[in-house]
């Protein structure tokens, strides 16, 4: 009986360890995710927007971000990605043509883990955004970068570009559940239980043998 008690204690400790491992692994795997995009994935817009954006559940880090917006084999992204609150905003170059666009994004989430994804939209007309040179020639002030970034493509701005379908969850942004940790924990617990049962059987056989020897 004294030998069984330590084995039972080992089983309880193994179960407690497995539970702690699973609960600690769950938060670690919950990296930031993209909640929506503008334009929405698969949307059709009346014209190429001045910028595209991805909205996350937390504010991503400003370092290591990159967004490409390609159509016809050409990348129409203009300048670096801007992080505005929980959004990554990428401006587009003037003169972008009508057609299907593929947006491939990569950011560093708030827990320093890089995440990436992609979405597509279609523009029925080319960009009508004026080049900065023509604005300067007319003597009017060029719009600021922040104004361009919020000219109807950022969901929190409250307005959408003409013909834009509402935002939807971004594609390819989920994180897999750490099933390998679950498997390791289950195997560890099963091994401890197997050793405990084996030791108990050996102890019972030893007690029977000792009893027979005493009877003789």
């Amino acid at each position: 009986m004294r030998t069984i008690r330590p084995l039972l204690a080992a089983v309880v400790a193994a179960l407690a360890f497995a539970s702690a491992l699973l609960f600690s692994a769950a938060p670690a795997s919950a990296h930031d995710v993209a909640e929506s995009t503008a334009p929405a994935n698969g949307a059709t817009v009346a014209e190429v927007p001045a910028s595209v954006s991805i909205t996350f559940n937390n504010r991503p880090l400003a370092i290591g971000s990159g967004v490409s917006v390609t159509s016809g084999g050409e990348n129409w992204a203009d300048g670096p990605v801007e992080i505005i609150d929980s959004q990554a905003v990428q401006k587009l170059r003037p003169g972008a043509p009508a057609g299907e666009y593929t947006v491939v994004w990569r950011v560093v989430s708030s827990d320093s883990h890089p995440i990436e994804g992609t979405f597509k939209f279609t523009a029925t007309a080319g960009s009508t955004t004026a080049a900065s040179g023509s604005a300067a020639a007319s003597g009017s002030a060029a719009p600021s970068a922040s104004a361009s970034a919020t000219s109807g493509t950022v969901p929190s701005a409250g307005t959408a570009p003409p013909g834009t379908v509402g935002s939807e969850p971004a594609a390819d942004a989920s994180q897999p559940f750490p099933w390998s940790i679950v498997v390791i924990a289950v195997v560890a617990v099963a091994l401890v239980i197997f050793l405990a049962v084996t030791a108990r059987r050996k102890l019972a056989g030893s007690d029977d043998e000792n009893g027979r020897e005493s009877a003789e």
Side-chain angles (χ1 to χ4, degrees):
M1 190 66 179
R2 294 179 179 177
T3 307
I4 296 177
R5 289 179 178 177
L7 292 176
L8 292 178
V11 172
V12 173
L15 291 174
F17 173 76
S19 300
L21 187 64
L22 292 177
F23 281 108
S24 63
S29 63
H31 303 301
D32 295 350
V33 296
E35 295 182 329
S36 63
T37 65
N41 184 37
T44 298
V45 296
E47 62 183 38
V48 178
S51 63
V52 298
S53 66
I54 307 97
T55 301
F56 301 91
N57 60 329
N58 289 306
R59 179 186 177 91
L61 301 181
I63 60 173
S65 300
V67 177
S68 67
V69 187
T70 58
S71 179
E74 184 172 357
N75 184 10
W76 291 92
D78 183 18
V81 180
E82 295 182 74
I83 303 300
I84 304 175
D85 295 330
S86 59
Q87 298 169 341
V89 180
Q90 176 62 64
K91 294 190 297 182
L92 305 185
R93 292 188 286 115
E100 184 181 69
Y101 284 77
T102 300
V103 181
V104 179
W105 57 265
R106 175 184 171 87
V107 301
V108 179
S109 62
S110 59
D111 64 352
S112 301
H113 182 86
I115 56 177
E116 57 188 13
T118 181
F119 67 93
K120 295 182 178 182
F121 68 91
T122 301
T124 57
S127 172
T128 58
T129 304
S132 58
S134 60
S138 63
S140 59
S144 63
S146 59
S148 298
T150 57
S151 60
T153 61
V154 182
S156 63
T159 57
T164 301
V165 181
S167 296
E168 64 178 25
D172 304 332
S174 60
Q175 297 293 332
F177 185 81
W179 290 109
S180 58
I181 298 178
V182 177
V183 173
I184 293 174
V186 171
V187 171
V189 172
L191 180 61
V192 172
I193 294 176
F194 172 77
L195 294 176
V197 172
T198 303
R200 183 175 183 179
R201 290 178 178 176
K202 289 183 178 180
L203 181 62
S206 177
D207 291 342
D208 292 341
E209 184 178 353
N210 292 335
R212 287 195 298 270
E213 291 179 354
S214 300
E216 293 175 358

